[in-house]
Amino acid sequence: MGSRAKLEKEYEAPAFEEIAAKADMKPAEVKRVYVYVGPSFKGVVNNGRIFKGTREDILSEIKANAEAAGMINKFAKISRLLIADTELAHAKEQLAKGGNGLSRAYAAILGNEEEG
């Protein structure tokens, strides 16, 4: 029983980056779950939308929707608000707190201020 406790204590789950490196993939190429935390735009993306896939594929879909809706000028800010599921809680805290990059991107999309 003592050796089991020692093994459990020494084991650390590999970081996402380590897994991606072993698979010879960039983090953007790894399929995972993302959530859009910005404001909704009809025909482009809705707040709380859950996406599954690579970040690159998801962003190309959103970009195509933004172009079709004539909102391509908002795409850069929209893309900043696409958050990996593992970072969702932290992102929501940042949005609630304000005064950071995520909250400025959110406000800039709505036209309340310029992105800094």
Side-chain angles (χ1 to χ4, degrees), residues 54-104:
T54 66
R55 183 172 178 84
E56 185 177 288
D57 290 344
I58 294 165
L59 288 175
S60 66
E61 175 188 334
I62 294 171
K63 185 175 184 177
N65 292 343
E67 286 174 345
M71 299 180 70
I72 195 64
N73 60 325
K74 296 184 184 263
F75 174 71
K77 295 169 192 79
I78 289 172
S79 68
R80 292 189 63 196
L81 295 167
L82 183 66
I83 307 297
D85 63 335
T86 57
E87 299 297 321
L88 186 58
H90 179 69
K92 286 187 174 187
E93 287 174 9
Q94 293 296 309
L95 287 169
K97 185 170 31 169
N100 54 65
L102 281 180
S103 63
R104 284 191 295 275

Side-chain angles (χ1 to χ4, degrees), residues 16-69:
F16 173 75
E17 291 77 18
E18 289 177 33
I19 295 168
K22 286 180 182 176
D24 196 27
M25 300 173 84
K26 295 177 187 169
E29 296 173 342
V30 176
K31 290 185 179 182
R32 52 190 313 188
V33 176
Y34 292 90
V35 179
Y36 174 69
V37 296
S40 296
F41 293 103
K42 188 174 182 176
V44 180
V45 66
N46 292 324
N47 177 272
R49 167 123 188 244
I50 299 170
F51 295 89
K52 293 179 185 175
T54 66
R55 183 172 178 84
E56 185 177 288
D57 290 344
I58 294 165
L59 288 175
S60 66
E61 175 188 334
I62 294 171
K63 185 175 184 177
N65 292 343
E67 286 174 345

Side-chain angles (χ1 to χ4, degrees), residues 7-20 22:
L7 285 175
E8 288 176 359
K9 209 175 203 182
E10 291 176 3
Y11 176 77
E12 288 185 34
F16 173 75
E17 291 77 18
E18 289 177 33
I19 295 168
K22 286 180 182 176

